Amino acid sequence: MRRAVSARIAAKTTANTSMVFAVAAVRNPGFETFEEQPTVLVNSEPARVGEVEDVHGSRLHLLEVAEPSTVELDYSATVTGRAVPEAVDEVDQIKYVRPSRYCESDHLLPTSYAEFGSLEGAGLLAAVRDWVGRELSYVGGSSRSTDGAVQTLLARRGVCRDYSHLVVSLLRAKDVPARLAAVYAPGPTPMDFHAVAEAYVDAAWHVVDATGLATRHSLLRISTGRDASDTAFLSTVGGSLSLQELKVTAEIDEPVPDAGPAALVQLG
């Protein structure tokens, strides 16, 4: 299986802006080949960027500009093969069962128990995915960057990150470790970065995507965290910027049919 992805981001910054890009695919040891080409221009000139890696292999590219600038990032990668699962971490099983900024699982505990009763394991994942898919309408631009799972449920609409926040919250409310993964995903129209939930059941992390917009086997991991606050494709840690352009592509040479909505699938 060969997957080819790309991202282009253009932004205008104020003076003394520090920014973080999270667009690079995770380099997983299971891949047969991994080729990538990142380019960053500041005012049309090549710029040096730093790179740091977190515990899940997410790669963050860091850039600082002293003057108001136009910043352009172009990233492309071609990957063959499938990822091998990362080692199970006991700390993750604690961290990802706690409430977080966008996943207010404590507020949604009564809802989760009322809707899903004593369900557990794969049956719980399927029930939560189906329920969120029924309760929400996918409406582009319908949510604010500050909306968490509770507001999403009240509004009954959102985009992929909102669906995933609600899934994660309902699962954490049932003491199932759950987290958010930002991915490249062939299929969605219009194409954009995609967000899915991952839940820890049967001693492994499994994908839960209530939007149904992409085949789970085709997803390519970018970043992983508690919620969108950990997985944003672009953020500032000083100064400010305005996004001017965003373009994402994702293609796969041989689409793998989904094993069925009730099957457990790991992100590869």
Side-chain angles (χ1 to χ4, degrees):
M1 178 172 64
R2 176 182 178 274
R3 286 168 285 183
V5 302
S6 72
R8 173 173 171 76
I9 299 172
K12 290 187 176 180
T13 78
T14 60
N16 299 313
T17 293
S18 299
M19 64 208 81
V20 181
F21 296 93
V23 302
V26 169
R27 286 195 191 100
N28 187 279
F31 294 144
E32 297 168 14
T33 63
F34 185 99
E35 300 176 357
E36 66 178 352
Q37 181 61 53
T39 303
V40 176
L41 303 178
V42 174
N43 296 327
S44 301
E45 295 293 329
R48 302 182 84 183
V49 297
E51 181 179 316
V52 295
E53 186 173 308
D54 76 2
V55 294
H56 297 298
S58 309
R59 295 154 57 213
L60 308 178
H61 289 93
L62 317 177
L63 175 66
E64 297 182 16
V65 294
E67 303 295 333
S69 303
T70 297
V71 175
E72 300 169 90
L73 176 143
D74 286 285
Y75 175 84
S76 63
T78 301
V79 176
T80 61
R82 290 193 60 79
V84 294
E86 64 178 300
V88 173
D89 188 329
E90 288 186 276
V91 174
D92 286 349
Q93 296 176 55
I94 298 170
K95 176 170 66 175
Y96 291 129
V97 83
R98 293 171 173 166
S100 61
R101 166 67 180 84
Y102 292 106
C103 298
E104 311 101 322
S105 52
D106 46 350
H107 290 287
L108 291 171
L109 187 146
T111 301
S112 188
Y113 273 86
E115 294 295 336
F116 309 114
S118 60
L119 288 173
E120 57 184 27
L124 174 61
L125 303 196
V128 169
R129 183 203 61 241
D130 292 347
W131 188 85
V132 171
R134 289 194 306 269
E135 292 295 318
L136 302 186
S137 297
Y138 195 98
V139 181
S142 62
S143 60
R144 301 165 297 183
S145 61
T146 55
D147 287 349
V150 171
Q151 182 58 39
T152 295
L153 184 56
L154 291 173
R156 290 298 199 277
R157 61 184 183 179
V159 294
C160 59
R161 61 168 252 163
D162 305 304
Y163 278 65
S164 296
H165 285 156
L166 185 53
V167 167
V168 167
S169 300
L170 294 169
L171 290 172
R172 288 182 187 171
K174 296 269 294 174
D175 296 323
V176 174
R179 64 194 189 185
L180 196 76
V183 298
Y184 285 104
T189 303
M191 182 66 69
D192 202 344
F193 294 111
H194 192 45
V196 298
E198 286 185 290
Y200 186 80
V201 299
D202 292 352
W205 290 97
H206 299 283
V207 180
V208 185
D209 185 2
T211 70
L213 292 177
T215 302
R216 289 175 291 169
H217 296 282
S218 68
L219 308 178
L220 184 62
R221 188 189 301 273
I222 302 171
S223 56
T224 311
R226 295 163 300 174
D227 52 38
S229 60
D230 290 338
T231 60
F233 67 87
L234 173 60
S235 55
T236 56
V237 289
S240 64
L241 58 79
S242 59
L243 185 65
Q244 303 294 305
E245 181 183 358
L246 173 63
K247 182 179 180 180
V248 179
T249 68
E251 299 176 347
I252 186 170
D253 66 340
E254 47 179 276
V256 180
D258 205 307
L264 294 177
V265 174
Q266 292 182 264
L267 204 160

